Amino acid sequence: MARTRKSAVRPRQPGEIERFDEANSARLGLICVQERIPADYTRWDLELMVEGRVARLTCISPGEYGGVPHGLDGDFATALNMIYLEQGAPDSGEVVITAYQLLQKAGFTDSGQYYQALQDSLDRLKGATYTASESWRDKRHERWTTVKFNIIEQIDADTQDGTAYGHGTLLKIRLARPVVQSLREQYLKPLDMTFVLSLSRSLTRSLYRMLDARRYDPVNLAEPAEVLRISLQQWARECKLLETVPARIKRNLESAHAELIERGYLRSVSYEGTRAATVIVYEFGDLPASLPAPEPSLQVIPDAPVVDALRRHGVVVPVARKLVTQFGENHVTVRLEQFEAILAGGYQPQRPSAFLVDVIKDQSGKYASGQTVLPPAPKPARPAAKPKRLPPPDLAMEAEADQINDQLTREFRALPLTEQAARAVTQVRMFVGRELRDSHLKSLLAAMLAGDVDPLTVRDEVTRAACNLQLPEFAEALRAAYSDG
């Protein structure tokens, strides 16, 4: 079912959007993006990572309703959420509206085929049962929960002939309690409904909603990302596609990609890798051409190369950033070169990181080039004498570094084991995620939860491997240890 296309409508920038959708439903993609499905497609199961933990989402739908929710069902589910907010978000979770008004809100015309489509969609949304295990965000308590629900809990339809929906059919629809709670607690993400209504196909609209939700961090719903990278196979599963062959997945999404690029929401869609390892890369085109510059103190320091260089020598990130903020990137770079020259001259400090911090902070000139590395050589042809013993490092700065490390360790140890394991897996995924399969990460997570592996040790080892440029070796060790899943 196609609608009149409003190609002049361009996507609004995220900061300009005034309409919102419930963030859990949008992020999880409860509706299959396919416009048509086999009648026996009555169940799907999805595994996904939520803050480093393996979570699961399941949908089971009775066969008599035409399979799992799909196609236009997403348009009506989104419209119901918006109408619920417009009607004041009552605690009852009820929406009262005529079938005609609901069609108008969803962007469809007043015709018999759409009244039938509406009735079929509402039946599927009521009949399908979803179970979200450790993947539904409870905003009030800031935690992930498990919920089981039907998107629509109850439908009361006052039809003239007792069966078919028509222009004057009055609908009283009660939405799922978890969805209602999220909406009332303002767990929302922006949704450009004007742009949604202008898209010509349900496939494009569904994919747009999926993409737009995936751009936002599920915890703080901050600024949307400019680029989204995801395994093509995983993306097909999240879109609830039946296809598993990469070429067919690409072909199924091709028309939606083309329309979103033409309309300016996407700048490009590209693919990296081959076969099962293919990654799809979305570049979004609806953000401002030039974003405001960040505050000077945050502009380059977190990602400055010199910070990474300090980390490789064992300086913890908070101390490294503080040093660059206090002394400037140029000063720290010069002192880092001094430090490396001193080590090259043969000096071996007991705590290299603390010694490096002292070299950076020194204001007396005691580490000036040529004065403290090696004594003068009696003759050019003879090897240099044993280097002088250098002054001890600044004990105060060393103590500060130790204090920060100890504090971070205590905070980590105070977390529940599940949270420690989740954070450790997140750290591993961040550094070597592309070199591991999901089975490796699942097995690592299981080992930590069983008490066989210490999450703090895992976190520290991957950080140490990154500092020592040994990430390939670290990834290989994980693959060898958990190759059997």
Side-chain angles (χ1 to χ4, degrees):
M1 296 181 182
R3 303 189 285 192
T4 302
R5 184 176 176 182
K6 304 173 184 177
S7 58
V9 176
R10 307 291 290 179
R12 303 174 72 183
Q13 295 177 2
E16 301 173 344
I17 298 173
E18 299 175 351
R19 305 289 291 276
F20 298 88
D21 193 14
E22 195 276 311
N24 277 308
S25 303
R27 174 178 51 83
L28 293 173
L30 302 179
I31 313 298
C32 168
V33 304
Q34 292 183 214
E35 293 171 320
R36 290 174 293 277
I37 62 171
D40 60 357
Y41 185 14
T42 58
R43 175 178 182 139
W44 50 255
D45 296 89
L46 172 68
E47 285 192 349
L48 63 159
M49 297 298 293
V50 176
E51 290 195 314
R53 299 192 312 275
V54 178
R56 187 167 182 171
L57 180 67
T58 301
C59 174
I60 302 175
S61 183
E64 60 265 30
Y65 294 127
V68 298
H70 62 279
L72 301 186
D73 303 353
D75 295 306
F76 293 120
T78 301
L80 285 171
N81 287 344
M82 296 215 170
I83 295 165
Y84 172 75
L85 291 173
E86 290 173 0
Q87 294 185 354
D91 183 61
S92 65
E94 291 183 345
V95 169
V96 180
I97 194 169
T98 66
Y100 170 76
Q101 291 171 326
L102 182 49
L103 283 181
Q104 293 295 300
K105 284 287 187 180
F108 299 107
T109 59
D110 182 15
S111 67
Q113 65 170 340
Y114 284 117
Y115 283 112
Q116 185 60 54
L118 170 62
Q119 188 166 357
D120 292 342
S121 286
L122 296 184
D123 284 341
R124 277 191 294 272
L125 295 175
K126 183 180 183 300
T129 300
Y130 294 88
T131 303
S133 301
E134 292 296 319
S135 54
W136 191 270
R137 187 68 180 174
D138 178 348
K139 181 183 178 183
R140 176 181 297 178
H141 299 99
E142 297 185 349
R143 63 184 182 183
W144 297 100
T145 61
T146 295
V147 294
K148 187 172 184 177
F149 63 96
N150 300 67
I151 293 177
I152 294 176
E153 289 186 355
Q154 182 174 332
I155 305 172
D156 293 333
D158 182 12
T159 58
Q160 294 180 350
D161 61 3
T163 55
Y165 287 6
H167 184 96
T169 300
L170 181 64
L171 300 171
K172 181 189 288 186
I173 299 171
R174 188 167 71 238
L175 301 179
R177 198 65 203 167
V179 175
V180 168
Q181 289 173 344
S182 289
L183 289 169
R184 287 173 59 84
E185 292 168 8
Q186 300 291 298
Y187 185 55
L188 309 171
K189 65 159 291 292
L191 181 64
D192 188 348
M193 197 61 183
T194 302
F195 183 67
V196 171
L197 295 177
S198 75
L199 297 171
S200 64
R201 295 181 58 186
S202 67
L203 172 64
T204 310
R205 297 191 296 274
S206 296
L207 187 64
Y208 166 78
R209 286 189 290 261
M210 286 282 297
L211 282 169
D212 208 57
R214 254 329 214 103
R215 300 173 67 185
Y216 289 87
D217 182 277
V219 175
N220 55 37
L221 296 174
E223 291 297 321
E226 297 181 56
V227 179
L228 172 64
R229 300 168 56 89
I230 186 171
S231 159
L232 181 62
Q233 296 278 4
Q234 178 65 19
W235 186 234
R237 288 190 289 270
E238 293 193 20
C239 291
K240 320 308 182 291
L241 297 178
L242 286 170
E243 296 290 357
T244 58
V245 178
R248 292 178 180 174
I249 296 172
K250 295 177 186 178
R251 188 159 54 247
N252 281 356
L253 299 177
E254 186 176 11
S255 62
H257 289 162
E259 184 174 358
L260 292 175
I261 290 173
E262 179 186 348
R263 303 294 299 284
Y265 177 71
L266 291 176
R267 182 175 293 111
S268 67
V269 179
S270 58
Y271 300 93
E272 299 176 354
T274 58
R275 298 183 181 178
T278 301
V279 172
I280 188 168
V281 182
Y282 290 103
E283 293 189 31
F284 298 95
D286 61 337
L287 293 176
S290 57
L291 296 173
E295 294 296 324
S297 62
L298 298 176
Q299 191 165 4
V300 297
I301 291 171
D303 298 320
V306 70
V307 172
D308 290 333
L310 295 179
R311 288 179 57 206
R312 287 195 293 272
H313 287 291
V315 180
V316 295
V317 171
V319 174
R321 290 176 178 170
K322 181 178 179 180
L323 290 169
V324 179
T325 302
Q326 182 177 355
F327 296 102
E329 191 172 346
N330 184 63
H331 172 91
V332 174
T333 301
V334 171
R335 292 300 177 90
L336 178 60
E337 292 173 352
Q338 261 187 340
F339 164 80
E340 291 174 343
I342 291 171
L343 296 191
Y347 179 65
Q348 297 181 354
Q350 185 175 3
R351 293 283 304 275
S353 59
F355 176 63
L356 172 55
V357 169
D358 193 51
V359 171
I360 293 171
K361 294 187 68 178
D362 174 53
Q363 301 293 322
S364 65
K366 60 184 176 181
Y367 300 116
S369 179
Q371 295 182 8
T372 58
V373 181
L374 295 173
K379 295 181 181 180
R382 297 179 60 183
K386 183 178 180 180
K388 293 180 181 179
R389 181 176 180 82
L390 289 163
D394 187 319
L395 297 180
M397 193 64 191
E398 179 178 354
E400 181 181 356
D402 288 342
Q403 184 178 4
I404 292 174
N405 268 324
D406 292 341
Q407 180 182 349
L408 293 174
T409 299
R410 286 195 301 272
E411 291 175 354
F412 188 89
R413 287 297 193 200
L415 296 170
L417 177 60
T418 54
E419 186 66 18
Q420 291 185 37
R423 294 194 179 193
V425 169
T426 298
Q427 192 88 337
V428 171
R429 181 181 291 277
M430 180 178 69
F431 283 110
V432 293
R434 292 187 184 181
E435 300 182 50
L436 301 173
R437 296 196 303 270
D438 284 345
S439 61
H440 297 137
L441 295 173
K442 290 178 187 176
S443 297
L444 174 61
L445 178 65
M448 289 188 286
L449 295 177
D452 298 329
V453 178
D454 178 24
L456 179 63
T457 301
V458 173
R459 188 200 70 173
D460 290 346
E461 283 183 354
V462 71
T463 303
R464 191 177 303 113
C467 294
N468 295 334
L469 302 179
Q470 295 178 335
L471 287 175
E473 293 83 353
F474 179 84
E476 177 59 32
L478 278 185
R479 287 195 298 270
Y482 302 106
S483 59
D484 295 329

